[in-house]
Every structure is written in C-alpha cells, then in structure tokens.
Amino acid sequence: MKNVFRAIVFAAVLCTGFGQATAAPLPPMPPDQNQLPDLPKEPDIYRMLPVPDPAGDAWYQPPADLESLANGQIIRTRDVGTWVLGIPMPLTTRQILFRTTDARDRPAATTTTVLIPGIPWTGSPRPILSYQEAIDGNSALCNPSYTLRAGVFKEITLLAGFLAQGFAVVVTDFDGFDGTQFLTFGEGKMVLDGIRAAKNEPGLGLADSAAGLYGYSGGGSGTARAAEMHRSYAPDVLVLGSAQGGVPGDMVSIARQNITHDQGLANFSGPSNFTMWLALSNLAATYPEVFDKSEFLTEAGQAVLSNVEGRCVYTAAMTGAYRPVADYLKPGKGLDDPDIQRILLAQSLGQPEHLPDMPVLMWHAIWDELLTFPDAIKSTVDSYWSNGVDLRYFTNPLPEHVVGDITAVPVAETWISAVLRGLSPGPKFRIGI
C-alpha cells in the first residue's frame, strides 16, 4: 500500500506541479530569442514528493571538524531506498556523507549513493562501477542522492545495465551539495573520494574492489576529470578504466562557442547557450573575486542568471537555450577577461599535469549542438594521443548530443564491463578526429 501511495503521489505531482510551482520572473525577451513562458523549477516540483528536501535534512550537514578528516573519510551513513516513478528497486542502497576537496582545494562534504544488487559475485571482490550522471544543475534537489530516492533519476535505465551484471554502482553528488563544482576539477576529486568512501564502508565489503568510471556529457566531465586527477589525487584507488563520452574538454573554446547565437533551430550555438548560464552561475559562486555578476551582466542578464540558478538540467536548458550570454554583457565586458580566461584554461582537460593513467574509451558525436565538434574535444584528444595516454577514441558518425550518447551505450558499456572483469582493454586507436 505504501508503494502504491508513493506512485499515486508521484503521478499527481507530475500532473499538477507545473501549475503550482513558481520561479523568479524573466524580463521580456527580444523577438529573436527564446520565447518560452517562464517555467517552474524542478526543485519546486520535487519538494512535493514524499522525500525530505536536502536543504532541511540534517543528515547532509558537515561536522565542525571537517578540515581534520581525510579525503574519502566517512562522516555518516544511512540505508535508503532507490525508486523509479514510485516503484522500489530490489537493491541495497547505502548513502555515505564523506569528506572531500573542492576546486579551490578547500575541505568539503558531499554524498555518494552505493547501489548493490542481490546478484552474487564470485571469484574476486565485487567490482565498483562509478557512474557519473549528467547532473547539470545547481540545486541539492538535482543531485543523485535525492533523485534516486525520489524516483526521478533521469539515467536509471543506463545505470540499471551495470546493476544487472552484478557490479556495485557508486553514484556521487560530484558537483557538490549545491552544484558549484560544475565543469571544474572539483568534480574529479569528488568522484574519486566517492569511490574511497564506498571502499571505506565496512558493511559493503568493497575494501578490495577495483573500480571503473563511466559517464557522458556532464557525467563525462566528472568521469574525465576523475581519470585525469587519479594519478596525483587518488593513486591508492585502483581504477581499471574510464569510459567517457560527450566530454567538455576545451573550456576556452566551449565558452567562445556557447555564448553566441546563430539563427535557426539547427545551429551550433543556440541550443548550447544554457550551458554557459549554468557555468556562469558556478563561476560566480566558486570564483566571486573574478566574476562579479553585477559588474559583468546587465540587469536583464542578472535576471536570467538568477532565474537559471536553482534549476536542474531540463528547465535550465529550456530557459537558457537561444538566450546568448553575449547579448547580456555590459559594454566593454566579455569572457575574454584575462582572469576568466585563466580559470577556463585551468579547468580544461588534456593538460600535461593532469593526464589519465588508466585505459580510456572516449567518444563524441560528429554534430553536437551542445559541445561543438571538433573544437570542444580535439585539443584533449590530441594531448592524450601525443602524450601516450592509453586511449581508444572514436567519433560517433550519428549526429546530435543525446543520440551520440544512446547509440554508443552498447559499445561503451560492453568495454568498461569487460575491463572491470579483468579482460584486456584492447589496442589503442583514434578514429574520426
């Protein structure tokens, strides 16, 4: 009866929530820009679900002595349920709040959710698949530790493929509690510390387990950054391979492309504009001394940024698409500011001091409206190849960002699953770039 009640509540929320939730109003938009009506924010709807809001959940609060803890050290744990549209999944689900480090090397706390299926594993310690969802939001209600419990985790079908094989799946809130680590190397640290935390929890039996990394798009960012940070940040964690697709590699190029706007539906910059609003929201929160939104953005731009803040990926995309940041910058201001360029470069992939030290499978769609091919990724692939990274790269010949993910899943999932079982990662190759 409880499960039926949850399903009914979830359905009612989906049917009625959009008429009840509110968001800070947007200013009138120019006729050549996105004319969608102001949308409610997903968190406003999620709060109606029978799951506590992390903002008011004391379990998420870090301790006063956080700085004294080691990376990956467990603060507290709890057993919860994993749900899909009001239906419980037959899994052991343990959440771990742990100590980690953010993009500015400050102590932080975030959560990982460890999913263990009832499928026995014999012959070796059960492998860990660290699954990075494309969180792409800046509210705690966008994070997997909430959405898995609330039944609205958007990549559950892809994640289930690993559970069905018997792997322990670790899903970390790698953008931090409020999303401020988005597209920074803080993501990679949090992914690696999430694996550490899972291995440190004695009740899970994963202390001797090897790990693999998997993610696409925003999840590909967290995956690639974890692969690059592994050598210097977490060499104690055995990572056998990394499968990473749709990766935002060259942040300087991505920013240059995604702040502009070309006319028409099928262009390279209009749909991607929302990514820069999310990125700027993070930039303002993580590097306030470099990016002061009141200094850089017009009043209308500040209103758009405020409206995007607190959203998850779906309504952030619908709100920010076809609204180019370039149209909302004050006269004389731009993302070519030297301090901003320095940060974008520092957070770009493929730099010699951050290179993966495990086998890598990497792919990108040939026409990607969010992360333009080849500019978003070519410098990263070039650096990996020339510096001897154990790389397998292919350009997916099918166009579009989401299609580039779905059509590559059979290849990527098969590859990382084989590597986790101790099989050879196969020869290096570079195709289509």
Side-chain angles (χ1 to χ4, degrees):
M1 181 60 70
K2 179 181 177 182
N3 295 346
V4 173
F5 172 75
R6 287 181 65 121
I8 292 171
V9 169
F10 183 86
V13 166
L14 291 184
C15 293
T16 65
F18 281 93
Q20 299 175 17
T22 60
L26 281 164
M29 291 295 160
D32 64 338
Q33 291 188 12
N34 184 349
Q35 296 297 308
L36 282 175
D38 198 14
L39 300 169
K41 300 183 179 185
E42 292 100 325
D44 292 331
I45 300 169
Y46 292 170
R47 289 186 183 98
M48 301 180 203
L49 294 169
V51 179
D53 184 338
D57 188 344
W59 187 87
Y60 285 93
Q61 295 303 309
D65 63 343
L66 183 63
E67 189 169 359
S68 68
L69 304 182
N71 288 323
Q73 186 169 341
I74 295 171
I75 298 169
R76 63 182 67 97
T77 68
R78 63 181 177 186
D79 288 336
V80 297
T82 297
W83 301 75
V84 182
L85 301 179
I87 301 171
M89 294 184 71
L91 304 167
T92 295
T93 304
R94 184 160 300 170
Q95 292 193 326
I96 306 172
L97 185 73
F98 62 93
R99 197 266 201 195
T100 185
T101 304
D102 72 6
R104 304 196 72 166
D105 293 324
R106 299 171 299 197
T110 195
T111 302
T112 197
T113 304
V114 185
L115 312 175
I116 299 184
I119 301 170
W121 189 277
T122 59
S124 68
R126 187 188 299 268
I128 296 170
L129 190 284
S130 180
Y131 187 98
Q132 284 62 252
E133 182 202 21
I135 302 170
D136 297 355
N138 47 24
S139 166
L141 286 95
C142 307
N143 279 331
S145 66
Y146 178 83
T147 59
L148 283 165
R149 297 168 62 208
V152 291
F153 183 82
K154 61 184 181 296
E155 297 182 20
I156 193 68
T157 303
L158 301 178
L159 183 150
F162 294 108
L163 291 169
Q165 298 180 66
F167 299 134
V169 178
V170 173
V171 192
T172 298
D173 298 353
F174 63 86
D175 280 336
F177 182 77
D178 52 2
T180 56
Q181 302 306 296
F182 180 59
L183 299 182
T184 72
F185 278 99
E187 293 183 332
K189 297 174 185 178
M190 292 184 177
V191 167
L192 293 167
D193 285 330
I195 299 172
R196 276 176 167 150
K199 291 168 66 68
N200 286 339
E201 170 55 24
L204 297 177
L206 302 175
D208 298 322
S209 296
L213 308 172
Y214 187 98
Y216 184 83
S217 189
S221 173
T223 301
R225 294 173 194 284
E228 290 202 358
M229 290 297 298
H230 177 258
R231 186 196 310 266
S232 61
Y233 186 79
D236 53 296
V237 177
L238 178 58
V239 178
L240 300 179
S242 178
Q244 53 201 51
V247 172
D250 186 338
M251 296 301 299
V252 175
S253 175
I254 291 168
R256 186 185 308 116
Q257 293 273 358
N258 291 5
I259 67 169
T260 59
H261 173 45
D262 299 326
Q263 298 300 313
L265 178 64
N267 66 69
F268 284 117
S269 53
S272 64
N273 291 157
F274 86 93
T275 63
M276 290 314 300
W277 290 108
L278 282 175
L280 290 177
S281 175
N282 166 65
L283 197 63
T286 306
Y287 301 96
E289 77 284 2
V290 172
F291 184 79
D292 181 344
K293 54 189 175 184
S294 63
E295 178 183 347
F296 276 82
L297 295 175
T298 63
E299 288 187 10
Q302 293 175 56
V304 175
L305 186 64
S306 177
N307 193 283
V308 169
E309 288 172 349
R311 292 187 180 276
C312 303
V313 63
Y314 292 133
T315 67
M318 289 186 282
T319 299
Y322 296 97
R323 287 177 180 150
V325 172
D327 286 1
Y328 296 89
L329 294 170
K330 288 185 174 179
K333 296 296 183 180
L335 298 187
D336 55 355
D337 177 270
D339 287 334
I340 291 180
Q341 287 291 300
R342 173 178 53 81
I343 291 171
L344 292 174
L345 181 60
Q347 303 305 326
S348 293
L349 299 172
Q351 299 175 74
E353 63 269 27
H354 296 305
L355 292 174
D357 61 347
M358 75 286 292
V360 172
L361 175 69
M362 196 169 183
W363 69 97
H364 208 94
I366 195 167
W367 180 80
D368 188 318
E369 77 281 14
L370 301 187
L371 300 168
T372 305
F373 178 84
D375 296 349
I377 198 63
K378 188 176 188 305
S379 64
T380 304
V381 174
D382 287 347
S383 175
Y384 284 8
W385 194 256
S386 63
N387 284 290
V389 172
D390 190 359
L391 175 68
R392 292 138 207 86
Y393 171 84
F394 67 93
T395 298
N396 189 334
L398 296 176
E400 205 279 318
H401 186 74
V402 176
V403 172
D405 178 17
I406 295 172
T407 57
V409 165
V411 173
E413 184 174 322
T414 298
W415 182 83
I416 193 66
S417 299
V419 169
L420 278 173
R421 286 178 166 83
L423 301 179
S424 169
K428 296 168 58 175
F429 60 78
R430 174 180 174 174
I431 300 172
I433 193 172

